[in-house]
Amino acid sequence: MSKISSFLEPIDYAVVIGYLLVLIAFGYYISFVKNKKSEDESIFLAGNTLGWGSIGLNMWGTNVGPSMLIASASVGFTTGIVAGNFAWYAFIFILLLAVVFSPRYLGAKVLTLPEFMGKRFGDSTRNILAWYTLITILISWLSLTLFAGGVLVKQLLDMPMYLSVIIMVVLSGFFAAAGGLKAIAYTNVFQMLLLIAVSLLLVVMGVNKAGGLEHIYNSTPGSYWNLLLPADDKNYPWLAILLGYPIMGVWFWCTDQSMVQSILGAKNLKQGQLGANFIGWLKILDVPLFILPGIVCFVLFPNLKNPDEAYMTMVTQLFPAGLRGLIIVVLIAALISTIGSALNSLSTVFTMDVYVKNHKPNATNKEIVKIGRLVTLFGSLLAILITLAIDSIKGLNLFDIFQSVLGFIAPPMSVVFLFGVLWNKTTTRAANLVLTLGTIISLGTGVLYLWVFPNGTYNWPHFLLLSFYIFVGLSIMTYLITITDKAGQKDHQTLLRINPAAKPDKQVKILWVILTLVMIALYVIFNGH
């Protein structure tokens, strides 16, 4: 098949350039003409006003993005719906967020999760979590998104990855400088709705062109429609998913600030728990909207050499000229928004939680701005290097690269939060050692697995099983340190106990029971093929 870039016409490039120019102009207007208000307005002024609908949509919007579209279509092309476990199996950990973590987070009246853990274990843990947050932002939100953006630009312009990545960073920085990042923030809801609508249109057009769902089903291997694959399956054996995904699920849904932020802003606990239930329903849509296009691509274009091109191949082959350009520019703009926001978060966390808090509490605004810009520059350079390292990973498609990297980030946070919330005796020393030594062990294993002794060349367990083994090892470490820590730990019953009046009410329970039954039914339907 010809390169994706060869299917783009002048009108597509005109739409791309025009859309970007409009965003820059709009951002300039918002930043320098219309918005002369104080820049000191707190992002938390709207705290505790979110209803269940806003919570669910905000969480789904944070979770869904161009990276997911491209990566999900890639894994759908190669393995079918088995990757749907990362969406459907998640309901258990979203339930855990609703009934175990949310009552304690909201009861503690905190704005951030590091603040909660600071109340639980002290300032030392909060400081370590600031550095852990920096690592997480740098790898999971910045470098992986930059990698997906680089893959997209590489496909569109047919250029080396390093140039694609540099272009994405420069574009993000340029938009931020021109005020365009604010424009993207203002139009982000529209762009997200457009991405979802495009995916739906892509599925409908693809299914029709392929001859209908029945023909698609008959034209693909039976295993493409199973959520649970045999234990000897090389891609996603059922045991690896059963044991390994929970580690990632607890970290992502229960301890990641970006995901939990909407719950922290709930009007009350009931709205937070209903919002969590809503995101559980919305996650059902991930399979038909994001993974199915890859399966349809497998039927329509079985000779596609690079599965990572599945989504853009569908776009360029099925959509008319002009619309292709619109979809491409929305993907690029949303990626730039995520990259720019990640750079901003990286700069903010380091400047305020590390530099100002620990090194120069009396820093002037000019000094803070200077440090913030230096961190943004250094973070950009570091992210480029990490992204190029990710690009050097062999033997994995885009989705697997995302999940394997996240799988090695997750264990330390999952252990600390689970023990910190569920076991009152857990000590500060245990938490801090797991967050420091445990992170070195977990990320070190990931470096060995992905680069030094790459899987495929060397016989490793599945990366999800590795994540599970690291979790078990860190859990044992936490238990042993706690029971031998003579300094002990002050009582946290007040912080960790759930007020009986705050337990889920009847409506919340009924909705979670219904969702659980639906998910069980889906797992029964999508197995045995």
Side-chain angles (χ1 to χ4, degrees):
M1 178 176 290
S2 302
K3 293 179 179 178
I4 285 175
S5 55
S6 67
F7 291 96
L8 300 180
E9 299 181 17
I11 189 174
D12 294 312
Y13 290 108
V15 170
V16 170
I17 295 171
Y19 192 96
L20 293 177
L21 288 175
V22 168
L23 280 181
I24 293 172
F26 180 63
Y28 181 86
Y29 172 75
I30 291 295
S31 300
F32 301 110
V33 179
K34 182 175 183 294
N35 189 15
K36 291 294 183 180
K37 296 180 182 180
S38 170
E39 294 294 330
D40 295 328
E41 292 183 359
S42 171
I43 59 173
F44 298 115
L45 288 180
N48 302 111
T49 61
L50 295 180
W52 64 269
S54 297
I55 292 169
L57 289 172
N58 283 342
M59 292 180 74
W60 197 45
T62 302
N63 183 221
V64 173
S67 302
M68 173 176 282
L69 298 185
I70 299 168
S72 296
S74 172
V75 75
F77 183 93
T78 55
T79 61
I81 70 164
V82 64
N85 284 289
F86 291 84
W88 291 358
Y89 192 7
F91 89 94
I92 294 175
F93 309 101
I94 300 173
L95 174 61
L96 192 68
L97 169 65
V99 301
V100 175
F101 287 92
S102 294
R104 293 172 170 89
Y105 291 158
L106 294 174
K109 293 181 171 58
V110 295
L111 295 176
T112 68
L113 300 187
E115 181 185 357
F116 176 83
M117 296 308 279
K119 285 188 174 184
R120 172 66 173 91
F121 292 116
D123 282 345
S124 60
T125 304
R126 187 174 181 178
N127 290 335
I128 294 171
L129 274 177
W131 283 101
Y132 193 97
T133 301
L134 288 171
I135 294 173
T136 302
I137 293 172
L138 187 62
I139 298 176
S140 65
W141 291 104
L142 183 52
S143 296
L144 285 177
T145 304
L146 194 56
F147 176 59
V151 168
L152 178 62
V153 173
K154 178 182 177 182
Q155 291 175 10
L156 296 176
L157 302 180
D158 192 24
M159 60 174 57
M161 174 60 87
Y162 75 92
L163 276 180
S164 304
V165 170
I166 292 173
I167 286 175
M168 291 300 296
V169 170
V170 170
L171 271 175
S172 300
F174 179 71
F175 267 73
L181 194 57
K182 277 195 174 182
I184 294 176
Y186 271 78
T187 59
N188 216 26
V189 173
F190 165 74
Q191 291 184 137
M192 190 55 58
L193 291 174
L194 183 57
L195 282 178
I196 293 169
V198 165
S199 292
L200 179 60
L201 180 61
L202 201 61
V203 169
V204 172
M205 294 178 68
V207 168
N208 286 336
K209 187 176 176 89
L213 288 173
E214 184 176 356
H215 183 265
I216 293 172
Y217 177 80
N218 293 327
S219 302
T220 50
S223 62
Y224 266 48
W225 305 97
N226 290 333
L227 286 165
L228 301 178
L229 299 179
D232 60 352
D233 182 80
K234 66 176 184 177
N235 294 307
Y236 284 104
W238 70 268
L239 188 62
I241 290 175
L242 179 68
L243 298 178
Y245 177 74
I247 317 307
M248 197 185 305
V250 170
W251 164 69
F252 188 77
W253 293 107
C254 302
T255 77
D256 184 84
Q257 179 71 30
S258 299
M259 295 308 303
V260 180
Q261 182 66 44
S262 297
I263 296 286
L264 298 178
K267 290 179 182 178
N268 50 54
L269 179 61
K270 179 178 179 180
Q271 291 300 308
Q273 292 175 327
L274 289 175
N277 180 265
F278 188 33
I279 179 69
W281 288 102
L282 290 173
K283 289 298 290 178
I284 295 176
L285 300 177
D286 285 14
V287 172
L289 283 181
F290 310 135
I291 294 178
L292 186 56
I295 300 176
V296 175
C297 184
F298 175 82
V299 175
L300 293 175
F301 312 105
N303 297 321
L304 186 67
K305 293 181 180 179
N306 183 2
D308 294 342
E309 295 181 355
Y311 188 83
M312 290 309 302
T313 297
M314 293 281 285
V315 167
T316 54
Q317 294 288 331
L318 299 182
F319 285 164
L323 183 56
R324 299 172 195 155
L326 178 62
I327 302 317
I328 288 166
V329 77
V330 169
L331 284 167
I332 292 174
L335 284 163
I336 289 172
S337 174
T338 304
I339 294 166
S341 298
L343 283 170
N344 182 65
S345 298
L346 189 77
S347 173
T348 302
V349 170
F350 181 87
T351 303
M352 304 309 296
D353 288 343
V354 178
Y355 177 75
V356 174
K357 187 173 185 293
N358 297 321
H359 297 286
K360 201 166 186 181
N362 299 320
T364 64
N365 188 60
K366 186 176 180 180
E367 290 174 321
I368 290 174
V369 171
K370 181 181 178 181
I371 291 296
R373 286 174 176 167
L374 287 173
V375 171
T376 300
L377 177 60
F378 181 75
S380 298
L381 295 174
L382 194 55
I384 290 173
L385 294 176
I386 295 174
T387 303
L388 294 177
I390 292 172
D391 185 50
S392 70
I393 296 172
K394 305 300 182 184
L396 296 176
N397 61 30
L398 189 59
F399 186 87
D400 291 344
I401 289 174
F402 273 52
Q403 300 305 330
S404 59
V405 171
L406 297 180
F408 292 115
I409 292 176
M413 282 284 275
S414 295
V415 169
V416 168
F417 271 80
L418 284 173
F419 272 83
V421 165
L422 299 178
W423 193 29
N424 190 55
K425 294 182 179 180
T426 308
T427 65
T428 299
R429 182 180 297 171
N432 290 352
L433 275 172
V434 168
L435 286 174
T436 51
L437 181 60
T439 299
I440 293 172
I441 293 172
S442 193
L443 293 183
T445 304
V447 169
L448 293 175
Y449 175 90
L450 295 170
W451 289 287
V452 181
F453 304 110
N455 184 47
T457 305
Y458 296 85
N459 190 21
W460 285 84
H462 194 279
F463 65 81
L464 286 174
L465 286 176
L466 277 175
S467 183
F468 173 73
Y469 298 151
I470 294 169
F471 174 85
V472 171
L474 295 183
S475 297
I476 294 171
M477 179 195 299
T478 304
Y479 175 77
L480 293 176
I481 294 172
T482 295
I483 63 173
T484 57
D485 188 357
K486 295 181 180 179
Q489 177 68 36
K490 65 180 182 179
D491 185 72
H492 284 289
Q493 288 297 329
T494 303
L495 177 66
L496 299 180
R497 184 189 296 120
I498 297 179
N499 186 327
K503 291 185 177 180
D505 70 5
K506 187 176 181 180
Q507 181 185 6
V508 172
K509 290 178 179 177
I510 290 174
L511 287 172
W512 274 106
V513 168
I514 294 173
L515 177 59
T516 301
L517 292 175
V518 168
M519 298 312 300
I520 292 172
L522 287 173
Y523 269 83
V524 171
I525 293 169
F526 289 99
N527 276 299
H529 296 278

